[in-house]
């Protein structure tokens, strides 16, 4: 029901935007419009993370390194300016208020991989005053770094702390520049994009590919024969804060 | 009419120059922030809104409070407010401009701010907030300009002005309601997710705003020959009293719901505010000062003998204003982020850059209000001497 309402709002938004902006402005900003790719229609990308497998490889940061290297994520070395697209967090922080008194040490101590949930019902998208963050048809919650005004409303609205803001000039803090991916400017928000640029080339997300124990499964939930669909049907999985109605698309095997 | 702003006593000019110097410092600080990025503020990945957005929120309230003089005068024909409606409207103009500036300096990419209008997004409360604030500014400029103009010419204001004035009343309520919606619609922030937020915003606005107006009127009486008389001031004091009572009532509701339900999501924020959380006591002394000020103000306002004593009324108005400023301008915004959705307890305190820029915006607001009041008073004085 809430999805219907949101869709309705989005349509209203679209109509109003088209009406108010007028043809001319639209053509002037055609470049921006072109960036707003709608993705793969009929698909619904999701990720499953098998933490048991992940924990086999203690201290491994391959997925994090791969992601941050691929996407020119700057490293500031302090918590205040920190930018991260994917990171590890203890269970009590990943699944707040869900820890029982007596839990297996393995669950309690071992980290959980976190990144943007690409929520089906993303609050970050509804609040953005410029549509600089939007939801593609295939479920990816995207960012337009050329349009973002840096109001950080999306960061206030995200219940998962998935978004980072460029508090300082990021370009001087990139360890090793990847010329194939854009860098950002200071004053804009960024986050995981499910490697949309790799998906477009038929590749899997960088983190998935880099994992030596295959703890991450990426796939299309609309396809009943996809590996992720099968696994979701076989094993009990958890999502973060499902009670908020955001419908996260990242599933965890604990 | 505006030429009145350029002739004034030595004191007037000294005051303006002091304000201009502060504004100049703020411009420099802003340039520094602009080139360095918002990293020069105290904000962080976890606390993404801070002092700027809090001042914005507080000042929307001050702007909205003009309705507390406009409504009795135009709807209830309370004639004694005739002299101060214009003061309320001018105060609103100054406050709205400050609000806009606080949003502007908080943007990561301030030069892109037009994107909000190029890609209007009715999904976003920020879109509605900018619309309603802009509209409110226009309304107040039109209303004050025409009333003053007609007063100067000694003619009755045009007929179409009345509906515009009436429109400005619900509009004033809307600006602060929409501002509350900015916060209270976020499922991610349990501290703000409260239906009583908008009503409480209005209650704080309608107590802090009139309290400020009382202080301004008494100040004007002291430094100029302009005296609004004691009747309207007493009326304002009563408005302040009722609104402050409502504010405290709403606050107690919030605290009761948060603490008695024991829902950790809610309770932990209040714990941080009033008792400190995980070693972070940043706001605790402030919140207790705010509480004590609120109690003192209520005693002074509720006992008629005290309220009618203008010296004590000054203290009462000060305590109301300060108590609410601490609550809204320091506590309310930041506490939404502490603890974070992941259960961390980050810290936040404004840096000197934030302080300087904020001070400068307040100075600019004061400058606007000073100049506008000067114009209004000059017109009135001319009328008397002619
Ligand atoms: S996890 Fe946060 S940033 Fe990602 S889609 Fe959900 S609300 Fe938006
Ligand atoms: S920071 Fe950027 S993406 Fe986030 S809400 Fe503001 S404009 Fe939109």
């Amino acid at each position: 029901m809430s999805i219907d309402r949101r869709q309705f709002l989005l349509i209203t938004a679209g109509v109003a935007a088209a009406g108010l902006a007028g043809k001319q402005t639209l053509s002037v900003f055609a470049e921006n419009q072109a960036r707003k790719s709608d993705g793969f229609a009929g698909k619904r990308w999701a990720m499953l993370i098998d933490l048991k497998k992940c924990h086999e490889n203690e201290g491994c940061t391959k997925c994090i390194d791969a992601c941050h290297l691929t996407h020119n994520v700057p490293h500031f070395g302090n918590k205040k300016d920190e930018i991260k697209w994917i990171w590890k967090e203890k269970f009590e922080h990943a699944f707040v208020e869900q820890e029982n008194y007596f839990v297996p040490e393995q669950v309690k101590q071992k980290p959980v991989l976190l990144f943007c949930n690409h929520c089906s019902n993303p609050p970050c998208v509804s609040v953005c005053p410029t549509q600089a963050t939007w939801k593609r048809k295939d479920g990816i919650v995207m960012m337009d770094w050329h349009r973002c005004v840096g109001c950080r409303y999306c960061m206030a609205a995200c219940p998962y702390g998935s978004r980072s803001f460029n508090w300082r000039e990021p370009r001087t803090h990139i360890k090793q520049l990847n010329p194939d991916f854009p860098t950002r400017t200071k004053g804009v928000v960024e986050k995981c994009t499910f490697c949309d640029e790799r998906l477009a080339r038929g590749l899997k997300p960088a983190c998935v590919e880099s994992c030596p124990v295959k703890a991450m499964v990426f796939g299309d939930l609309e396809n009943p024969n996809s590996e992720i669909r099968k696994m979701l049907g076989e094993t009990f999985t958890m999502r973060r804060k499902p009670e908020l109605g955001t419908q996260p698309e990242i599933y965890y095997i604990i | 009419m505006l030429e009145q702003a350029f002739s004034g006593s030595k004191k007037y000019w000294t005051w303006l120059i002091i304000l201009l110097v502060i504004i100049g410092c703020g411009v420099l600080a802003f340039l520094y922030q602009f080139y360095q990025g918002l990293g020069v503020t105290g904000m962080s990945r976890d606390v993404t809104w801070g002092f700027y957005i809090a001042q914005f929120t507080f000042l929307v309230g001050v702007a909205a409070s003009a309705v507390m003089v406009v409504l009795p005068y135009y709807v209830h024909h309370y004639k004694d407010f005739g002299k101060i409606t214009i003061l309320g409207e001018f105060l609103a103009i100054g406050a709205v401009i400050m609000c806009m500036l606080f949003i502007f300096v908080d943007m990561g990419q301030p030069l892109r701010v037009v994107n909000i209008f190029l890609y209007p997004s009715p999904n976003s409360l920020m879109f509605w907030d900018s619309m309603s604030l802009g509209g409110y500014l226009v309304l107040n400029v039109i209303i004050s300009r025409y009333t003053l103009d007609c007063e100067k010419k000694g003619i009755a204001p045009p007929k179409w002005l009345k509906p515009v004035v009436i429109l400005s009343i619900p509009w004033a309520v809307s600006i602060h309601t929409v501002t509350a919606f900015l916060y209270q619609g976020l499922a991610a922030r349990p501290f703000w997710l409260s239906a009583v937020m908008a009503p409480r915003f209005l209650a704080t606005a309608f107590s802090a705003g009139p309290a400020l107006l009382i202080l301004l009127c008494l100040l004007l009486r002291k430094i100029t020959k302009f005296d609004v008389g004691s009747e309207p001031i007493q009326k304002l004091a009563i408005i302040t009293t009722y609104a402050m009572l409502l504010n405290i009532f709403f606050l107690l509701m919030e605290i009761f719901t948060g603490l008695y339900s024991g829902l950790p999501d809610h309770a932990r924020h209040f714990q941080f505010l009033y008792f400190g959380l995980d070693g972070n006591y940043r706001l605790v002394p402030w919140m207790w000062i705010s509480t004590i000020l609120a109690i003192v103000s209520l005693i002074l306002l509720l006992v008629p003998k005290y309220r009618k004593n203008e010296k004590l009324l000054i203290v009462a108005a000060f305590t109301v204003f300060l108590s609410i400023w601490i609550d809204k301008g320091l506590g309310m915004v930041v506490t939404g982020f502490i603890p974070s959705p992941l259960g961390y307890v980050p810290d936040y305190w404004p840096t000197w850059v934030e302080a300087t820029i904020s001070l400068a915006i307040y100075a600019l607001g004061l400058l606007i209000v000073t100049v506008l009041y000067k114009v209004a008073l000059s017109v009135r004085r001319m009328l008397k001497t002619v």
Side-chain angles (χ1 to χ4, degrees), chain A residues 9-10 13 16-17 20-21 25 29 32-33 79-82 84 87 89 92-93 96-97 114 126-131 145-153 155-165 167-169 185-188 240-241 244, chain B residues 33-50 52-53 106-110 112-127 181-183 186-189 192 264-265 268 337 340-344 351:
Chain A
L9 283 176
L10 284 174
L20 284 170
T25 3
F29 293 90
N32 259 335
Q33 296 294 324
K79 214 169 153 52
K80 186 173 173 292
D81 298 323
E82 189 179 33
K84 51 191 178 189
W87 73 101
E89 204 76 68
E92 55 178 315
H93 293 299
V96 185
E97 308 299 345
L114 300 187
S126 335
V127 300
C128 177
T130 62
Q131 298 152 47
W145 297 306
H146 297 279
R147 190 187 286 189
C148 172
V149 294
C151 65
R152 310 184 296 292
Y153 199 5
M155 296 178 83
C158 171
Y160 307 99
S162 303
R163 293 175 165 258
S164 303
F165 182 70
W167 297 101
R168 296 179 185 278
E169 176 56 51
T185 169
K186 65 173 181 289
V188 299
R240 295 171 67 204
K241 300 194 184 178
L244 296 185
Chain B
Q33 177 188 292
F34 183 75
Y35 287 109
Q36 294 293 314
L38 282 169
V40 299
T41 67
M43 291 183 276
S44 61
R45 194 181 188 278
D46 278 341
V47 185
T48 51
W49 282 343
Y52 296 146
I53 294 294
D106 187 66
M107 298 250 159
Q109 287 284 335
R112 289 186 192 167
V113 65
V114 283
N115 281 359
I116 296 180
F117 305 99
L118 286 178
Y119 310 102
S121 318
N123 270 341
S124 172
L125 263 312
M126 209 172 271
F127 167 78
F181 284 0
L182 215 60
Y183 300 101
L186 301 182
R189 309 283 165 186
W192 297 335
D265 267 359
R268 274 162 63 85
F337 296 96
S340 78
L342 270 61
Y344 287 105
T351 61

Side-chain angles (χ1 to χ4, degrees), chain B residues 138-156:
Chain B
V138 172
L139 282 178
N140 273 293
V141 169
I142 294 177
I143 294 168
S144 53
R145 214 209 105 101
Y146 277 95
T147 35
L148 201 61
D149 215 22
C150 295
E151 203 176 309
K152 193 178 163 193
K153 294 187 186 131
I155 53 174

